[in-house]
Amino acid sequence: MQNDNLKFKIRKILILFLILPLLFFFKTKKIFSQQISLSISPPLIETVIKPGKSILIAYTIINYADPAILTAKVLPFEPKNNFGQIKIKEEFEGPIRFSLDNSNLQLGQSFFLKTNDREQLLLRIRVPEGAKEGDYYYTLLVESQPQTSQTEKTASFAKATIGANILITVTDSGKIEIKPKIVLFEVLPRFRFSFLGRKINFFDSTDPVPLILIVENRGKNLIKPQGQIVLKGNFGEKAKFEIVPQNILSQSQRLIQASPSAEIDCFPSSKLKACQSPVSLIISGFFVGFYRLSTAIIFGENSPQVSAATSFFAFPIKIFFGLILALIIILFLLKRLKEE
Amino acid sequence: MIKKIQLRLPSFTIVIYLLFTLSLIFKSIKPILAINMESPLFKIQYAEIGIAGGNKSSTNYHLSDTVGQTAAGQFNSTGYIVKAGFQYLHSIIPFRFSISNTNINFGTLIPNSPQTATTTLTVSFGAAGQYQVTAIEEGRLRTLDETNEIADTNCDGGANTCNESLAKLWTSNTAYGFGYNMSGQDIPSDFINENYFRPFPNRKENETPAIVMSSSNVGKNRQAVMTFKVNISPIQPAGKYQTIINFVATPSF
């Protein structure tokens, strides 16, 4: 009897030993991969400044993911294309001087940011006396340090860098050179053909009408367009679209956007012209007849106005051919009916 | 009687046909609406400009949203004008960039057996604003002693030879190298499906970073998945191959 009791106790202990480790499996936390999530504010600074002056900008960097070691630096950039994309240069250049006013931090010096922690970077921008008048474009970059020694396997490690652009106009007098030109104001039609020496842009009535407006800045300072694109129909219909005041950097072109623009679902193999490259505006509706599009743009007070116009013709070609087809079918059926 | 019906039938058909046509036209006509100052893409609001660091004013700097007479006055007295954020947006919106997995582990590589791994890139920029995300490798996948390396992919080769700015098909198990595919939002249009790859530009060869995400109209949490792929030949020396991919996210200007 005592032996049985002892055996029972041993069994109980053994079962407990087996069950206890299992409990650890339920208690364990999920292991997430190393993540990085950074934010920077403000994302853009524009300044007009005299030589010999300096300004201080407070940037806030927030780390929303795993603790990270970060480094801040400033590099110049230039516009990459006319879509507002930039190309950051590898080396620093230009007369503008950047430094941090933080007591414990300098540019190029690493700092640690815990999860949900933030750091304020006090960026001092100084324009030395005698700096040449003109525009200078830079990006404040905050980059993470990749943790490369975490694995014994083949791997690639992601390094995240987040940037905020700084547009600096150096001028002694405060005068800004405004030399704009509209280089393209055109619709992207379904068909384009010549008639009596005129180019006709043709759309089906149900087609969205994509419009491209590219403005060139031939001056030495950035400019900001203000104005409207106006659509007028042959029955007196009229619609206005506001031009988005995006900066056009000196000696560059930019595709100007207007609002409100229709949205199109673009999938990778879409053959819609509005999907193949960025456009300024997409106008949707049912168009019949002749339409005229015009724009007038200014660039601040007392600036020259530039204007352009284009037109297109729309006809319900899909409906028309649909009806012709339906008519042919009906006539065919009637003929068969007659024969019977 | 039959003849009469036969005569009436075409005219009746024409009437039905015309009615059908008219109904189609009226059904498909959409009015051209008057302009709104708001859209899902942009909010036109010239006057509201926030301030760096969340302060309304400071002894160190002034902020202004115009370059008219007031700004000229400010410029003459202070020697500078500063504007923060995008004038056409509602306020200053932080620009945020996330990478879901910074350690892209391929495990043990087996010849002629492609290995893939993914990471998700996310950009948040409030309701609007242009941005771009670029990627560049800091060198090829190579062993720590830098004696061996895995070349960047050419994809399947021939007509399907890809490069740093053009994705092509990479499905052959005997096409070797290291490359990436993009899927999701705001990706380059040459990534037609999950079999289209590009090699990374290489900083050591002075190549320009490739734009892997970009948009002129950004909502919250624009996401794209980057799939890394590596395939080695049977003569690839054994070893631990590593590289760093630098992602740079910047808003537009």
Side-chain angles (χ1 to χ4, degrees), chain A residues 61-77:
Chain A
I61 315 297
I62 306 175
N63 177 17
Y64 293 96
D66 295 318
I69 298 167
L70 305 170
T71 312
K73 63 180 179 183
V74 178
L75 284 175
F77 80 83

Side-chain angles (χ1 to χ4, degrees), chain A residues 37 46 84 224 240 254, chain B residues 35 83 87 98-99 130 252:
Chain A
S37 181
E46 297 169 42
K224 209 183 284 283
K240 290 178 182 175
R254 186 159 191 183
Chain B
I35 179 83
K83 294 183 267 182
Q87 271 195 288
S98 310
I99 302 174
Q130 293 181 316
S252 188

Side-chain angles (χ1 to χ4, degrees), chain A residues 238-305:
Chain A
K238 195 174 179 183
K240 290 178 182 175
F241 304 89
E242 289 291 327
I243 283 171
V244 179
Q246 293 168 308
N247 292 311
I248 309 166
L249 303 186
S250 67
Q251 304 295 324
S252 74
Q253 297 181 353
R254 186 159 191 183
L255 180 87
I256 301 300
Q257 295 193 305
S259 174
S261 180
E263 284 185 75
I264 299 176
D265 283 333
C266 290
F267 46 93
S269 56
S270 175
K271 286 183 179 169
L272 276 175
K273 287 191 174 172
C275 292
Q276 285 163 7
S277 63
V279 294
S280 299
L281 175 69
I282 299 171
I283 309 168
S284 65
F286 188 86
F287 306 99
V288 181
F290 195 76
Y291 290 83
R292 190 172 185 273
L293 278 157
S294 62
T295 186
I297 310 170
I298 58 165
F299 300 86
E301 283 180 22
N302 304 320
S303 80
Q305 178 178 297

